[in-house]
Amino acid sequence: MNKTIFRTTLKHWCSSAGIITLCGLYFMCLLGYSVCTIIFTEWQLIEPSFVNTFFMLPFIFALGTGIIGKDISSGVLSTLFSRPLARTKYVIAKWVALSVATSAIAVTLALCEQTILSVTYLQAPDVNLFTTIAERVSLCFGLSATMIGLSSLFAGNKNMVVWCVLFGGMWILLQLATALPSMYFGSYFSLAWMASFTPIMKAIAEFTTSICLPWLDMTLVANTLIPSAATIFGYSFTVLFMLTVAIWRMNNLEVSYAQQQ
Amino acid sequence: MLNNSKSIKAPSRATAMWLPVACVILFGAKLACDQFEAKCPPSFHDHVQWRNIQDAKLEAKSRQMPIFEVVTSDFNGEHFKTLERYYFSDPTLANAINKDYIPARSISKSSNNQWGPHFGYDRDSKTTVDFANVRVIPLDLQERSCDDYRLPHLYHSPGFKQNVLVFLAENKNYNSSYNVSIAKHDWCKLADVEAKAKKENKKILYFFYQQYNDTCYNVMQYPFNDYDKKKLLDKHFACSIVMERATPVTKNPVYVDKLVKKYEVQSYPSLVSVDPNTGKFEKLGGTCNRSEIDDFLKKESAK
């Protein structure tokens, strides 16, 4: 990992007023939501977490949109790669920077929630803080790899667009696949259709979800008598696959001033 | 003079071969584990100390504790796996269940209707002990409009565990004496309630109650468990139950329909406080929490 790129990437986010404002606003919204939940529902017992793991997505999107793609389209890469810099290290530095930054936000948010609960009830919350944090951090590292992989393939901010198309498209496809046959051919045909195509649809949904939302469901991973090895292998595969794609793409990308002109 | 002896070596642009190989191995391992787990699904730490339903009934009788009964259509099928995952593998929930309830498992034998397994109060007429079947509805019921459940929906969403904990805390003292307290209350007959209220200068309080509805039962029993509330009811209100019995097969008596129409009751349970002199009424409808009932009773008794 190249430490200079790691530091520069973090500094870039810290100096970007737009990103800080966006993340700050969202962070405040989530904390406000937590406080309102306590006040309005008159909860008397302690809940492990108000905030769903997937509420981390906007942070990752805010920081990860165009993380490499912008460097490609703006010509920064031409300058960077004219130096003796291993491209693999560049990709890894970017991934680590994005993961660390989003994980820091996730951990801070989890700790803030716990503090609010402790202050409200004047006792330490009876929660599995490790599980909550582990789930969120796994999502941060996993989705960062996906954003890096997509960003290396598509210049500019298109990685975000591609993610939306992949994930949204998959859901729309599944909804249509379920709804259309019953609309046009009646429920009997629909049932037969579903019975024969469900495994395929399930496979599509699983694959797209594992690529778009790689995370470790800690209920499955940590709370079982036999931890789900498939979940761990699936997660590791996605992270490594997306990083390999990014590294391969960077190593084969021809960037020069002549191309820019 | 430039020293070219230490030339800078250009970094390699070859992608390490072990990366795609590792990807293939991981993917293969995932597929293999998927196959294995489909055959032997991962089981969860079930922290609840289950009893046989017959043993649990005996224990409930001797210890005067409610039974936490889980009714599923099959013993170790998909329903129970889901419950295990979301409820019983959680140490906090399992502790609450073990501490305050007698957990029992049973299998429904009549699960072929559209509502899934049949649930009913288990009241032992011989021993006069009312077993509170703090039941868990199987997952397949969660999307249907069935009021007849007592635990919250089984969604794994923020807040769901809280709902269950609140439910367990509220019902842990639920035993036969509560039902007796409702039964022992000096209820007025619907035909007499207005005359009695006028005579004693009280308000009329109608409890619109739907038969077989557990939510109604919970709301109904609440004011009678609390000595102060019961005193408040006795002092300011002439209370009457309006039992809604309409089903696709049976019809309501005419006087019940009239009251439902008159007081615009749309949800059950509903508490309607009526001033017998002016005919003005106030209504608290739907699934209301305890503080709402308290506020309503206080407000109406102060008028």
Side-chain angles (χ1 to χ4, degrees):
Chain A
M1 185 185 77
N2 189 302
K3 285 179 188 168
T4 317
I5 294 193
F6 174 72
R7 266 187 245 124
T8 318
T9 313
L10 287 182
K11 269 185 194 169
H12 165 69
W13 286 326
C14 293
S15 60
S16 166
I19 289 176
I20 289 178
T21 317
L22 208 67
C23 287
L25 274 175
Y26 187 64
F27 194 86
M28 295 311 288
C29 284
L30 288 186
L31 279 186
Y33 167 69
S34 305
V35 174
C36 289
T37 316
I38 295 174
I39 295 169
F40 293 118
T41 57
E42 297 172 2
W43 283 359
Q44 290 163 8
L45 291 163
I46 289 150
E47 170 69 7
S49 169
F50 298 115
V51 180
N52 193 296
T53 301
F54 294 112
F55 286 14
M56 294 299 118
L57 292 181
F59 291 121
I60 305 169
F61 292 150
L63 301 181
T65 304
I67 185 167
I68 291 178
K70 268 184 198 165
D71 285 357
I72 298 173
S73 57
S74 65
V76 173
L77 277 191
S78 318
T79 320
L80 266 179
F81 290 165
S82 65
R83 298 188 165 269
L85 167 71
R87 298 182 179 196
T88 307
K89 287 182 180 176
Y90 165 81
V91 171
I92 291 173
K94 284 281 184 183
W95 173 60
V96 173
L98 180 57
S99 308
V100 166
T102 47
S103 299
I105 296 173
V107 173
T108 315
L109 190 64
L111 293 176
C112 282
E113 285 170 36
Q114 301 306 310
T115 314
I116 293 170
L117 285 167
S118 308
V119 170
T120 311
Y121 300 106
L122 297 172
Q123 62 177 20
D126 174 25
V127 296
N128 196 344
L129 189 60
F130 168 75
T131 308
T132 312
I133 289 178
E135 269 188 8
R136 293 181 192 185
V137 169
S138 74
L139 180 71
C140 292
F141 273 79
L143 191 55
S144 297
T146 303
M147 295 306 275
I148 294 277
L150 293 177
S151 193
S152 67
L153 292 173
F154 304 97
N157 291 334
K158 282 178 200 151
N159 64 335
M160 189 64 243
V161 180
V162 174
W163 189 92
C164 290
V165 169
L166 265 178
F167 197 61
M170 184 263 294
W171 280 112
I172 292 169
L173 196 75
L174 285 183
Q175 293 301 320
L176 287 179
T178 319
L180 283 181
S182 61
M183 278 164 67
Y184 291 107
F185 302 109
S187 59
Y188 286 108
F189 178 83
S190 174
L191 281 175
W193 195 89
M194 289 290 286
S196 47
F197 283 89
T198 297
I200 298 170
M201 292 201 302
K202 206 177 161 190
I204 293 171
E206 265 184 20
F207 184 74
T208 322
T209 312
S210 69
I211 292 289
C212 291
L213 283 178
W215 70 300
L216 287 173
D217 183 347
M218 292 309 285
T219 326
L220 265 176
V221 172
N223 218 9
T224 46
L225 287 172
I226 312 162
S228 172
T231 313
I232 299 168
F233 281 131
Y235 176 79
S236 314
F237 161 72
T238 308
V239 172
L240 198 64
F241 175 70
M242 293 316 284
L243 288 177
T244 307
V245 167
I247 290 167
W248 172 82
R249 168 74 177 150
M250 282 294 107
N251 281 332
N252 289 286
L253 188 70
E254 293 301 335
V255 279
S256 65
Y257 288 113
Q259 271 183 338
Q260 293 294 320
Q261 287 158 6
Chain B
M1 193 176 165
L2 286 172
N3 184 2
N4 288 329
S5 58
K6 285 183 180 177
S7 58
I8 299 167
K9 199 180 168 188
S12 164
R13 279 176 60 183
T15 308
M17 268 311 287
W18 65 267
L19 281 171
V21 173
C23 281
V24 172
I25 291 171
L26 283 173
F27 191 65
K30 183 201 177 313
L31 291 180
C33 288
D34 272 341
Q35 293 295 318
F36 175 75
E37 284 172 13
K39 284 179 186 168
C40 319
S43 56
F44 291 83
H45 293 280
D46 186 348
H47 300 290
V48 181
Q49 296 152 5
W50 298 107
R51 280 99 158 149
N52 178 297
I53 186 69
Q54 300 305 330
D55 297 343
K57 281 180 183 178
L58 291 173
E59 205 174 331
K61 194 181 165 188
S62 61
R63 293 171 63 187
Q64 283 292 292
M65 278 173 76
I67 296 174
F68 183 95
E69 189 189 16
V70 177
V71 187
T72 44
S73 54
D74 49 357
F75 201 76
N76 283 316
E78 199 60 36
H79 293 152
F80 196 75
K81 290 279 171 224
T82 312
L83 298 172
E84 244 179 0
R85 180 178 172 185
Y86 290 132
Y87 282 86
F88 311 133
S89 63
D90 187 301
T92 321
L93 285 176
N95 281 344
I97 294 168
N98 286 331
K99 198 176 130 203
D100 300 323
Y101 297 87
I102 295 167
R105 294 279 312 274
S106 59
I107 310 162
S108 167
K109 287 171 186 165
S110 57
S111 59
N112 291 329
N113 60 58
Q114 63 157 329
W115 299 112
H118 171 72
F119 302 100
Y121 281 121
D122 186 9
R123 292 203 181 117
D124 193 330
S125 54
K126 286 181 189 169
T127 54
T128 66
V129 172
D130 294 325
F131 297 110
N133 291 345
V134 186
R135 295 155 308 176
V136 176
I137 303 293
L139 191 69
D140 72 338
L141 284 181
Q142 71 179 7
E143 287 174 3
R144 292 176 188 157
S145 56
C146 178
D147 283 336
D148 194 10
Y149 63 84
R150 301 176 65 189
L151 265 180
H153 289 298
L154 298 174
Y155 287 124
H156 183 48
S157 56
F160 97 100
K161 185 181 154 191
Q162 189 57 40
N163 291 339
V164 180
L165 281 171
V166 168
F167 171 84
L168 291 174
E170 278 185 354
N171 289 279
K172 66 181 176 186
N173 294 320
Y174 181 55
N175 59 34
S176 55
S177 61
Y178 293 138
N179 197 34
V180 172
S181 66
I182 294 178
K184 276 187 179 172
H185 186 75
D186 186 19
W187 295 103
C188 301
K189 283 182 183 171
L190 276 178
D192 306 336
V193 68
E194 206 169 325
K196 190 185 174 190
K198 275 183 182 168
K199 189 181 162 191
E200 295 177 4
N201 197 21
K202 287 179 179 176
K203 280 189 168 182
I204 305 170
L205 191 62
Y206 289 115
F207 284 78
F208 283 85
Y209 183 106
Q210 203 171 28
Q211 211 174 10
Y212 309 124
N213 188 327
D214 290 347
T215 316
C216 291
Y217 188 84
N218 284 340
V219 172
M220 281 278 291
Q221 52 107 5
Y222 167 61
F224 299 98
N225 295 340
D226 189 309
Y227 180 73
D228 292 330
K229 301 273 172 323
K230 194 173 177 309
K231 229 167 115 180
L232 188 86
L233 286 174
D234 286 342
K235 193 177 171 188
H236 296 282
F237 300 99
C239 302
S240 191
I241 295 178
V242 186
M243 179 75 86
E244 209 266 352
R245 301 179 181 84
T247 65
V249 185
T250 55
K251 280 184 180 177
N252 270 330
V254 181
Y255 57 88
V256 170
D257 276 340
K258 269 186 186 171
L259 284 173
V260 168
K261 218 177 225 178
K262 187 176 175 186
Y263 298 116
E264 298 156 12
V265 176
Q266 289 170 340
S267 55
Y268 295 89
S270 281
L271 271 65
V272 179
S273 159
V274 187
D275 188 331
N277 300 316
T278 59
K280 280 185 182 173
F281 67 92
E282 286 293 331
K283 193 169 60 180
L284 178 69
T287 312
C288 35
N289 60 34
R290 293 179 172 203
S291 60
E292 283 173 322
I293 298 174
D294 287 348
D295 292 345
F296 178 77
L297 291 178
K298 265 184 204 166
K299 200 175 119 193
E300 288 306 303
S301 57
K303 274 185 185 173

